[in-house]
Amino acid sequence: MPGAFEGETVTRRRLMGLTVHTAGGITAAAFTLPALGFALGPLFSREPFDWQPIGQPSDFPNNTYTTKVITIVQGIGSAGKTIAYVRARNPSIDTEHEDQYNHFIALSSRCMHLGCPVRFVAAAQRFICPCHGGVYDFRGMVSGGPPVRPLDRFYTRVRNGLVEIGPRYSVNSELQRFSPRDPGEPLDGIGQYLYPKRFSTSVLPKD
Ligand code: FES
């Protein structure tokens, strides 16, 4: 081989070049891989969520809502708490498919326009958002203003005589379930593809 001594299979120049390039690659990887892991890791880690008992079934009539404070982010104290509006399912108005997770209807208090807290006004049987005039009907469907989809919901179930509340999910205008989305993200038509679910959202806890 030109430039090599007798018996050598690679020149010293080439060996040095390979060594320098290898060392450079390792150094670059040492800087970029941790940064990439730090940036992308949260996308794939699931937010933990446990079922939380919120009361006995008799605490929740089907003709009005009971307000409950629940924890949606654990380990950060009151900053991780939110309000859920809960009532028993009413077959005369709740026409969406019934399963083990919706014997009790639990609505999020987060407005689906920009996220302000909505308030249930019993006299009007409506949820009112104070920020931009969003109005939702008794089932949490949009009946006026800028919100782009119905109020989010929480899975519920009954265990050991207690109503328990689980992860949040989003719904479209036909109350079909979707993984949780952020406010301002519509789920009807092409909206469900324009705003895909995030990997970090909670999954339904195992029984
Ligand atoms: S945040 Fe509720 S209407 Fe704008």
Side-chain angles (χ1 to χ4, degrees), residues 52-182:
Q52 301 170 54
I54 53 172
Q56 298 181 336
S58 58
D59 296 338
F60 305 101
N62 68 6
N63 59 355
T64 190
Y65 282 91
T66 301
T67 304
K68 288 290 173 182
V69 177
I70 62 168
T71 300
I72 53 171
V73 180
Q74 295 166 349
I76 58 172
S78 56
K81 296 184 184 303
T82 189
I83 286 176
Y85 291 101
V86 187
R87 65 173 169 84
R89 180 185 175 89
N90 184 339
S92 64
I93 59 170
D94 295 313
T95 52
E96 69 273 15
H97 173 68
E98 182 177 8
D99 62 21
Q100 61 174 317
Y101 296 119
N102 62 5
H103 295 312
F104 290 84
I105 308 296
L107 301 184
S108 165
S109 59
R110 198 174 180 206
C111 180
M112 288 301 114
H113 176 219
L114 294 178
C116 287
V118 302
R119 186 168 60 90
F120 179 63
V121 180
Q125 297 281 284
R126 293 271 191 280
F127 293 87
I128 309 292
C129 179
C131 290
H132 314 101
V135 181
Y136 303 82
D137 69 12
F138 187 71
R139 300 173 70 199
M141 313 287 280
V142 179
S143 58
V148 297
R149 65 173 197 263
L151 291 174
D152 282 355
R153 297 182 168 209
F154 296 93
Y155 289 95
T156 60
R157 69 180 188 182
V158 178
R159 284 289 187 283
N160 303 318
L162 292 175
V163 178
E164 295 181 338
I165 203 162
R168 176 176 66 94
Y169 61 92
S170 296
V171 291
N172 64 9
S173 61
E174 294 176 348
L175 295 183
Q176 291 174 315
R177 290 177 183 148
F178 290 83
S179 297
R181 303 299 207 275
D182 287 332

